[in-house]
Amino acid sequence: MPNYNYARTLGLCLEALAGQTYPHIEVIVVDDRSTDGSAELARRHGVRVLVTETNIGAPAARNLGVRHARGEVLFFVDSDVALAPDAVEHAVRLLGSDPTLGVVCGTYEPEPLIPDGLVERYRSLQLHYWISGDEGDITTIYSAIFAMRTEVFHEIGPLNPALRHSENAEYGHRVTQRYRIVLDTALRGKHDHDDRLRVVLSKFFHRARLHIPLYLRRPDFNGGPADSSRGWGSLAALFAVVTAPLPALLGPGWLLAPAALLLGSIAADLGMYRFVRRYAGTPFTVYFAAVHFLVNVTVGVAVFAGAAQCLVSSRFRRTYDVPVGV
């Protein structure tokens, strides 16, 4: 469990690990130089705590934890995720039943670990729907909840510490050269999502932009906005904004262009909106759709930013070239 300043949720996550139905668990918390007392809190829960010399990021922290782990199965969980009681048992059973399976990933519950308002509820339902919708074979990993056999980790190699925000995509690419990755929605936990819109939009932008070099290299990459309908929905939302001034500039007949693009964006995510309406009701669905429109516009901008960066920067194009030693 990598941790950096998550004392607010760390105790809940460690309690969830203590309540697992699988009896043979070694818990290692890798504290990445937290300043909020996280390391002391973890020690009070009786788990093993490793403290990094400097802040090294989650991928490197996970690699450090592996070097000290003694188990035959590695279960990676973030310090803002409280696992369901049978999560470890389920993952061990899946990995033991199929030698072609390299990684098993889980999903989030629709309700957040600590509810903090409407933005967090949006993010909780949106991520639950997106991730759960990818159930089955995938080409990425969801790094907050995933498990693999130790021997497979050493065969594939460590996570790339240089990719603090997109290591999941690169690692999934490496794993699927030799093994399958499966998302199983029976493996789940409650996540403490971001509750500020600025933070949510920033993460969408940077992650989408950073994934562009891998999308161009591997068209079958899936997950999140890489899904074709989600991708088109983002582009339609962006161009709805771009064409919005046309009626004022060229006449009311041009209103059809942004209206059609807006409807296209909504249609691309219609299944998600139906799910949200059933789960949370119509008034919240209206709010959800408004926030998701902003998300789609942000992702659309990120796609063009990433593509432009690929054109002008060979270094950016080589983002997912695995360095020697990784």
Side-chain angles (χ1 to χ4, degrees):
M1 177 185 289
N3 174 76
Y4 177 66
N5 286 345
Y6 274 101
R8 181 172 185 252
T9 58
L10 183 58
L12 295 173
C13 301
L14 292 175
E15 289 171 10
L17 290 176
Q20 290 295 303
T21 57
Y22 192 78
H24 310 297
I25 296 178
E26 172 193 34
V27 179
I28 300 175
V29 173
V30 182
D31 188 74
D32 201 12
R33 301 304 296 183
S34 293
T35 58
D36 65 350
S38 292
E40 292 76 11
L41 188 154
R43 292 189 184 99
R44 290 198 297 270
H45 278 78
V47 302
R48 188 176 183 187
V49 179
L50 306 174
V51 178
T52 60
E53 294 184 2
T54 60
N55 183 270
I56 59 176
R62 293 186 183 102
N63 293 338
L64 177 60
V66 170
R67 291 200 292 271
H68 290 265
R70 295 171 293 180
E72 296 179 6
V73 170
L74 302 169
F75 196 116
F76 298 88
V77 60
D78 282 356
S79 55
D80 56 359
V81 176
L83 292 174
D86 63 346
V88 174
E89 181 178 5
H90 188 67
V92 171
R93 183 168 61 249
L94 286 174
L95 291 169
S97 66
D98 186 352
T100 70
L101 185 57
V103 173
V104 57
C105 297
T107 187
Y108 299 134
E109 300 279 6
E111 293 296 327
L113 179 60
I114 304 175
D116 285 312
L118 293 177
V119 170
E120 183 170 16
R121 196 174 195 204
Y122 158 80
R123 187 65 165 139
S124 184
L125 291 174
Q126 176 263 321
L127 268 178
H128 170 78
Y129 183 85
W130 271 21
I131 296 176
S132 299
D134 287 334
E135 185 167 27
D137 284 75
I138 57 177
T139 55
T140 186
I141 62 168
Y142 290 104
S143 54
I145 308 175
F146 77 102
M148 61 195 304
R149 293 186 298 278
T150 304
E151 61 182 5
V152 173
F153 181 91
H154 290 302
E155 179 184 347
I156 301 299
L159 292 101
N160 189 338
L163 302 175
R164 290 196 178 200
H165 302 288
S166 56
E167 80 282 0
N168 62 314
E170 186 276 327
Y171 201 66
H173 177 67
R174 268 193 280 157
V175 170
T176 51
Q177 306 306 304
R178 305 182 189 185
Y179 295 96
R180 295 167 55 228
I181 302 175
V182 167
L183 176 75
D184 192 313
T185 56
L187 176 60
R188 54 176 57 198
K190 284 190 173 184
H191 182 245
D192 188 42
H193 300 276
D194 295 309
D195 58 6
R196 289 179 294 169
L197 183 59
R198 178 182 60 80
V199 174
V200 170
L201 295 178
S202 176
K203 285 188 175 181
F204 267 106
F205 177 82
H206 289 296
R207 289 172 180 175
R209 179 183 62 84
L210 288 170
H211 284 164
I212 293 300
L214 185 58
Y215 295 160
L216 296 176
R217 176 181 300 183
R218 184 167 181 176
D220 68 330
F221 179 81
N222 66 343
D227 178 273
S228 60
S229 65
R230 298 170 192 163
W232 285 117
S234 295
L235 292 177
L238 173 61
F239 283 106
V241 173
V242 171
T243 58
L246 291 181
L249 296 173
L250 302 176
W254 285 90
L255 182 62
L256 181 62
L261 288 164
L262 176 61
L263 289 175
S265 178
I266 293 172
D269 290 305
L270 192 58
M272 179 170 63
Y273 296 137
R274 287 171 174 166
F275 160 74
V276 174
R277 184 176 61 81
R278 290 193 303 269
Y279 191 91
T282 300
F284 180 76
T285 304
V286 174
Y287 170 84
F288 182 100
V291 174
H292 196 65
F293 179 77
L294 294 176
V295 165
N296 272 333
V297 172
T298 300
V299 171
V301 172
V303 168
F304 282 97
Q309 198 168 353
C310 280
L311 288 175
V312 301
S313 172
S314 60
R315 181 178 180 182
F316 187 67
R317 291 195 298 271
R318 296 194 303 269
T319 296
Y320 297 98
D321 291 347
V322 181
V324 176
V326 172

